[in-house]
Amino acid sequence: MRRTTVLRTGMSALLVLGAWAGAGLAPASAAAPAPTAEPQASAGLLDAMESDLGLTKDQARSRLAAERAATAIESTARRAAGPAFGGAWFDAGTGKLAVAITDRAKAGAVRATGASVRLVTYGAARLDAVKKKIDGFKAPAGVSSWHVDPRINRVVVNVVADQQTDNDVKAFLARAHQAGPLQVQKTAEAPKTFAAGTVGGDPYYTGNVRCSIGFSVHGGFVTAGHCGGGGAAVRGWDGSHIGNFQGSSFPGDDYAWVSVGSGWWTVPVVLGWGTVPDQLVRGSAEAPIGASICRSGSTTHWHCGAVLAKNETVNYSQGAVHQMTKTSVCAEPGDSGGSFISGDQAQGVTSGGWGNCSGGGQTWHQPINEILGRYGLRLHTA
């Protein structure tokens, strides 16, 4: 055994060295366990939410409890709305899940689940169809991303501010407006992935690229697809061999999974980097739009923000990536592949974004349940 300490600053959030390698850790079918009883929030997590979200500790505790309740009822509220469902999000002002509906007659059934109701013009199916049509367009570099926003009942197209007058951008927007209800918003920069060149002492490397480990699965870990192609060898923080990329997809998607062996094993933990205690992973229930979310990565360590959008198409220079979740959490090169977590529920792996953790920015992650389902993996949970 090269190391007996299970977790330490500077090593992988999800892997430790030891003698369990390969012991009964075969991939199994995907699972998304429901949230467990509400855990006590650590002082470090409350400090991070106070710093990044501007909340007092009491406000942070209340918000975590409200978000947990909203997550638990979202699927029930969706079923109650039926074909009238127009989307859902966590409303931080009311502390409730808000559900958009196109049929006033469904309001009572949705409210009975504990959610609040907003009457809208367009249903989710209509807006999803508009976004899918736009997905078929070739986007120029000045178009950053697009997604359905249930809060404004439109498809939002994000355009890089200093390229909004570009002829190709204007032509793209003209076609998008023809597809259906649309709103154009400006963003400061174009998106980019967060891989980095080799730097000693960080979680894992493939070739000359450094990335961050996402979540342990039985048999390995998941991470970002742009960090390595199928079969590529992976080295750990100490330079020793971990395993190989068993599957990888980028662009189109941005996910991958890496097998674990050679004296490494998996643990259901996200590294807190001394900012917060290391976080146990207990499931993968998806947090709603508006919920708080935190990210762990090897460059900028631990930061928090909120879920801004889901099912967003991101237009990287390498090609478009679909079904991404956008957040207000910052990230920097080397954070790619790292963990997005809400409470004790795994959310996804860091893909890319714009900005940095000094001046702020936005980041996208690839949802974890899609990765588990794609490769038939089972999340390692506490």
Side-chain angles (χ1 to χ4, degrees), residues 193-200 202-212 223-229 232-236 245 298 333-337:
T193 56
F194 284 127
T198 299
V199 176
D202 285 285
Y204 86 87
Y205 310 93
T206 178
N208 65 345
V209 172
R210 171 170 59 87
C211 281
S212 300
T223 186
H226 70 262
C227 291
V234 174
R235 307 186 310 279
F245 278 82
S298 63
D335 287 328
S336 277

Side-chain angles (χ1 to χ4, degrees), residues 107-115:
V110 174
R111 288 194 183 100
T113 69

Side-chain angles (χ1 to χ4, degrees), residues 269-341:
V269 170
V270 171
L271 193 64
W273 295 98
T275 303
V276 299
D278 298 333
Q279 304 290 298
L280 289 175
V281 178
R282 300 187 185 278
S284 58
E286 187 177 339
I289 293 170
S292 61
I293 191 169
C294 298
R295 180 194 56 73
S296 181
S298 63
T299 298
T300 58
H301 299 171
W302 184 270
H303 287 277
C304 297
V307 178
L308 299 178
K310 295 184 181 183
N311 191 24
E312 183 155 37
T313 299
V314 183
N315 188 35
Y316 294 128
S317 61
Q318 301 94 327
V321 177
H322 306 287
Q323 297 181 322
M324 304 288 275
T325 297
K326 180 164 67 177
T327 79
S328 62
V329 187
C330 67
E332 295 180 11
D335 287 328
S336 277
S339 322
F340 267 92
I341 188 167

Side-chain angles (χ1 to χ4, degrees), residues 91-308:
D91 186 336
T94 64
K96 287 186 173 184
L97 182 74
V99 176
I101 57 172
T102 58
D103 183 356
R104 193 183 300 273
K106 295 289 187 179
V110 174
R111 288 194 183 100
T113 69
S116 63
V117 169
R118 305 279 179 87
L119 194 66
V120 296
T121 303
Y122 306 105
R126 164 72 171 135
L127 295 176
D128 287 344
V130 173
K131 180 190 173 290
K132 186 175 181 180
K133 187 170 184 179
I134 298 173
D135 281 345
F137 301 166
K138 174 68 173 176
V143 175
S144 170
S145 63
W146 53 96
H147 68 275
V148 172
D149 190 336
R151 293 164 293 191
I152 63 172
N153 201 224
R154 295 285 189 278
V155 174
V156 172
V157 176
N158 295 290
V159 175
V160 180
D162 62 5
Q163 297 185 50
Q164 59 186 317
T165 59
D166 177 83
N167 287 336
D168 290 338
V169 171
K170 291 193 290 186
F172 179 92
L173 293 177
R175 290 186 70 193
H177 275 292
Q178 292 175 357
L182 195 82
Q183 179 167 308
V184 179
Q185 295 181 357
K186 290 184 286 187
T187 187
E189 299 176 28
K192 59 184 181 298
T193 56
F194 284 127
T198 299
V199 176
D202 285 285
Y204 86 87
Y205 310 93
T206 178
N208 65 345
V209 172
R210 171 170 59 87
C211 281
S212 300
I213 291 166
F215 292 95
S216 284
V217 295
H218 289 281
F221 65 83
V222 294
T223 186
H226 70 262
C227 291
V234 174
R235 307 186 310 279
W237 63 272
D238 62 348
S240 68
H241 180 72
I242 295 177
N244 296 82
F245 278 82
Q246 298 299 312
S248 180
S249 181
F250 179 81
D253 310 296
D254 194 6
Y255 51 59
W257 85 279
V258 174
S259 60
V260 166
S262 303
W264 295 74
W265 78 77
T266 63
V267 290
V269 170
V270 171
L271 193 64
W273 295 98
T275 303
V276 299
D278 298 333
Q279 304 290 298
L280 289 175
V281 178
R282 300 187 185 278
S284 58
E286 187 177 339
I289 293 170
S292 61
I293 191 169
C294 298
R295 180 194 56 73
S296 181
S298 63
T299 298
T300 58
H301 299 171
W302 184 270
H303 287 277
C304 297
V307 178
L308 299 178

